[in-house]
């Protein structure tokens, strides 16, 4: 009979994922070792293996949880729009705010999603890529509902990627405590969507 997991098991896994995400962002996934992750967490490699069988297992759990979280952000924006009876543009604005609120606290996970998915095995990589495609499709739907006269079959991919281009790389330059907050930047993105940069 298997020994039951302690109540701290999932909490400890969350801590390991935080530490690993930082190691992958600092050193790159290929360069970061299980020894590096264990040392950064103040534990032994043997203890780390108690929670994860390999570095790839850590990466997969990290990306699995993060992509599920991004889908949950979309679901929350849809639920908020429905609960508050928002029009389609206001619903898109809620989605932008939701993504940037998430990105403020998950920069290292976002780095892993953008750079390290390719290091997963075929089946796991395809699952993560499918979720990324689901996120892109959902954002396209929000945009098409918000701007039906602007999005066409020809330009919808380009305009969806333009929006992602505005928000997905904030981890490279937007710093908490800097001259603009994530919440303020969300409002700037919304302003550009609504009015462009022209006064």
């Amino acid at each position: 009979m298997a020994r039951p997991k302690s109540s701290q098991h999932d909490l400890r896994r969350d801590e390991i994922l935080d530490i690993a995400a930082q190691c992958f962002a600092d050193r790159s996934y290929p360069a970061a070792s299980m020894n590096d992750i264990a040392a950064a967490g103040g534990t032994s490699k043997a203890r780390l293996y108690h929670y994860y069988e390999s570095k790839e297992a850590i990466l997969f759990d990290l990306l699995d949880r993060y992509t599920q979280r991004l889908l949950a952000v979309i679901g929350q924006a849809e639920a908020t729009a429905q609960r508050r009876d928002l029009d389609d543009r206001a619903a898109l604005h809620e989605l932008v705010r939701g993504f940037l609120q998430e990105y403020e606290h998950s920069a290292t996970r976002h780095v892993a999603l953008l750079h390290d998915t390719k290091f997963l095995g075929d089946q796991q990589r395809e699952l993560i890529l499918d979720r990324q495609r689901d996120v892109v499709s959902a954002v396209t739907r929000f945009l098409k509902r918000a701007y039906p006269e602007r999005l066409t079959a020809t330009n919808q991919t380009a305009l969806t990627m333009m929006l992602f281009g505005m928000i997905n790389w904030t981890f490279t330059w937007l710093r908490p405590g800097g001259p603009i907050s994530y919440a303020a930047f969300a409002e700037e993105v919304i302003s550009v969507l609504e009015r462009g940069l022209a006064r």
Side-chain angles (χ1 to χ4, degrees):
M1 183 175 187
R3 190 175 71 182
K5 292 179 182 174
S6 80
S7 60
Q8 295 295 307
H9 189 81
D10 285 339
L11 181 61
R12 185 64 182 132
R13 285 173 77 99
D14 288 341
E15 292 170 2
I16 290 167
L17 293 178
D18 286 341
I19 293 161
Q22 190 65 58
C23 285
F24 299 158
D26 291 344
R27 295 176 175 81
S28 83
Y29 174 79
S33 67
M34 290 292 270
N35 277 333
D36 293 329
I37 296 167
T43 191
S44 67
K45 190 162 75 166
R47 185 84 176 135
L48 190 58
Y49 279 114
H50 172 71
Y51 294 94
Y52 289 101
E53 63 189 27
S54 66
K55 184 173 74 165
E56 186 177 307
I58 293 174
L59 178 63
F60 176 68
D61 196 21
L62 180 75
L63 297 180
D64 182 45
R65 292 181 190 211
Y66 184 54
T67 51
Q68 287 185 61
R69 178 70 196 130
L70 294 179
L71 291 171
V73 167
I74 293 164
Q76 288 168 356
E78 289 173 334
T80 298
Q82 196 169 38
R83 187 176 66 252
R84 292 171 45 196
D85 196 27
L86 300 179
D87 66 28
D88 291 328
R89 286 193 181 182
L92 175 63
H93 301 166
E94 283 302 303
L95 182 63
V96 169
R97 291 181 186 111
F99 274 132
L100 283 163
Q101 184 178 16
E102 176 62 32
Y103 291 170
E104 182 175 6
H105 307 289
S106 58
T108 55
R109 282 167 168 72
H110 203 70
V111 171
L113 182 63
L114 293 173
H115 298 300
D116 301 331
T117 302
K118 63 189 173 194
F119 297 113
L120 294 172
D122 291 346
Q123 192 172 6
Q124 292 179 334
R125 182 173 62 251
E126 204 50 44
L127 186 149
I128 300 303
L129 291 174
D130 280 345
R131 290 219 188 106
Q132 286 182 285
R133 287 187 277 266
D134 289 343
V135 169
V136 171
S137 294
V139 172
T140 301
R141 286 193 305 275
F142 271 81
L143 277 166
K144 284 174 79 170
R145 290 194 300 254
Y147 305 103
E149 72 291 344
R150 185 71 176 88
L151 267 77
T152 67
T154 306
N155 71 8
Q156 67 181 19
T157 298
L159 295 179
T160 301
M161 290 303 119
M162 182 185 72
L163 175 55
F164 277 120
M166 284 194 283
I167 66 174
N168 269 8
W169 296 91
T170 50
F171 71 87
T172 65
W173 64 271
L174 187 55
R175 298 286 177 262
I180 187 168
S181 68
Y182 275 77
F185 180 64
E187 299 311 313
E188 292 291 350
V189 171
I190 290 163
S191 178
V192 168
L193 288 172
E194 285 295 300
R195 293 179 288 280
L197 290 175
R199 290 195 177 273

